[in-house]
Amino acid sequence: MPRITRRFPAPVAAVALLLFASCGSSSEAPAGAPGARPGTLTIGAIPDQDPEKLQRLYATVATYLSRELGVPVEYKPVTDYTASVNLFRSGDLDLVWFGGLTGVQARLQVPGARAILQRDIDAAFRSVFIVNTATQLSAVDTVSGLAVLAGRRFTFGSESSTSGRLMPEYFLDRAGVGPDDFAGRPGFSGSHDKTIALVEAGTFEAGALNEQVWKARQEAGQVDPDKVRLLFTTPPYHDYHWVIGPGAARRYGPDFVGRVSRAFSELDPADPTESEILELFGADRFIPTDNDNYRQIEEIGRKRGLIS
């Protein structure tokens, strides 16, 4: 049989060639360019509170960011504070809600990482010291008053927590109370919620946690005032913040960090979903921050051997 040769009209052939070229080069489209598919933006957070609350909060954040940024966003829960730092260092997490200490630890291990946002309350954050009422300790109004905790059973939160360990330990040191001055080695509860529970139960006579969680649990009626009370509220310091890795800008384009910042700073309290995010974060709004705001945290962390 004679070979049948089909010839396409020139315009059709041109379109076919364009389509072929497009298909063959789609995987090489520059990050941030129209049609580029740089993958999923992964977000995470230190596990400082009840896991169910964290899952609800960050799942909502992921959905919101995906809508605002136009990219797929996935929340990856972590097992502990150290895991959040390690996963950020390895690039498995792009954007992480860190405490002051973990944020510094993470940034120092990832050149180009940036602190970009904090809540309005994080520019002047505080820790609280609480005591079991059976101790009969009364509230004190100066850092030096923390000396009354010497000889007591005491628990911090996580070992890497800024508001539950680093800053409380710093203020205790100023009061002349070191780890060897407690009744036995101090405990590490793992989270602020657990610190309250352990002190309330009498497992420890006193503990330290962040002021925001303490107030939130009080307002929710989850603290028994007959069993646990406030001893002292610390002076303010910078704490929680969002840190973004340099890989995000490489994948999504140089304007991506600005887009993420706007997505948070423009959260609208009048919108039900956006209002829920602010409420779950315990904030009225997000404000810009930068690496320099955490110099005090870095200095204290180095002195205490928590940053090498």
Side-chain angles (χ1 to χ4, degrees):
M1 295 179 61
R3 175 181 294 179
I4 299 175
T5 303
R6 296 187 179 183
R7 297 184 181 274
F8 294 96
V12 175
V15 171
L17 285 172
L18 285 172
L19 289 173
F20 177 79
S22 173
C23 292
S25 62
S26 62
S27 61
E28 299 176 3
R37 299 181 61 83
T40 299
L41 180 76
T42 54
I43 66 172
I46 54 172
D48 62 340
Q49 297 184 59
D50 178 74
E52 290 185 6
K53 178 180 179 180
L54 295 180
Q55 181 64 46
R56 175 187 171 196
L57 167 58
Y58 293 106
T60 304
V61 170
T63 300
Y64 169 73
L65 287 179
S66 182
R67 185 188 75 198
E68 293 298 305
L69 301 174
V71 301
V73 180
E74 178 186 359
Y75 165 58
K76 290 186 176 181
V78 298
T79 55
D80 54 41
Y81 283 50
T82 301
S84 67
V85 174
N86 290 340
L87 289 171
F88 183 77
R89 182 185 64 227
S90 66
D92 292 298
L93 290 176
D94 297 303
L95 178 67
V96 183
W97 182 245
F98 282 121
L101 176 60
T102 46
V104 172
Q105 290 172 329
R107 285 192 293 103
L108 291 176
Q109 297 179 60
V110 182
R114 294 170 52 188
I116 57 172
L117 292 154
Q118 62 184 5
R119 301 167 299 183
D120 48 349
I121 61 175
D122 289 309
F125 207 74
R126 293 173 171 84
S127 296
V128 296
F129 287 82
I130 59 173
V131 293
N132 187 283
T133 54
T135 62
Q136 299 186 336
L137 291 175
S138 300
V140 299
D141 55 12
T142 63
V143 171
S144 61
L146 292 173
V148 299
L149 294 175
R152 302 289 183 172
R153 300 188 312 278
F154 188 87
T155 184
F156 294 105
S158 167
E159 294 185 61
S160 298
S161 172
T162 305
S163 54
R165 191 272 178 91
L166 181 72
M167 295 310 291
E169 195 171 58
Y170 167 73
F171 290 117
L172 282 166
D173 186 64
R174 285 176 52 184
V177 180
D180 295 331
D181 296 316
F182 296 118
R185 300 296 296 174
F188 292 99
S189 70
S191 75
H192 302 298
D193 296 310
K194 290 180 181 178
T195 296
I196 297 175
L198 289 170
V199 174
E200 189 173 272
T203 306
F204 290 92
E205 294 175 286
L209 66 146
N210 86 45
E211 182 184 39
Q212 183 199 23
V213 173
W214 171 250
K215 287 184 173 180
R217 298 299 174 269
Q218 283 185 309
E219 292 171 1
Q222 297 171 344
V223 174
D224 187 344
D226 293 329
K227 294 181 179 179
V228 62
R229 67 165 65 109
L230 177 68
L231 177 73
F232 179 67
T233 301
T234 72
Y237 52 87
H238 281 276
D239 198 357
Y240 291 85
H241 55 291
W242 284 107
V243 176
I244 192 165
R250 287 197 297 267
R251 298 196 332 262
Y252 294 102
D255 67 333
F256 189 70
V257 174
R259 290 166 56 199
V260 172
S261 295
R262 285 192 298 275
F264 280 104
S265 61
E266 294 177 359
L267 282 165
D268 184 2
D271 179 278
T273 299
E274 297 176 32
S275 175
E276 180 185 19
I277 292 173
L278 289 170
E279 181 180 348
L280 288 170
F281 269 105
D284 289 329
R285 62 195 176 99
F286 280 88
I287 60 176
T289 192
D290 56 52
N291 296 356
D292 288 342
N293 282 333
Y294 307 93
R295 288 182 182 269
Q296 179 195 30
I297 298 295
E298 181 177 350
E299 291 172 3
I300 295 173
R302 289 188 185 279
K303 288 179 181 178
R304 309 212 72 82
L306 298 174
I307 298 175
S308 58

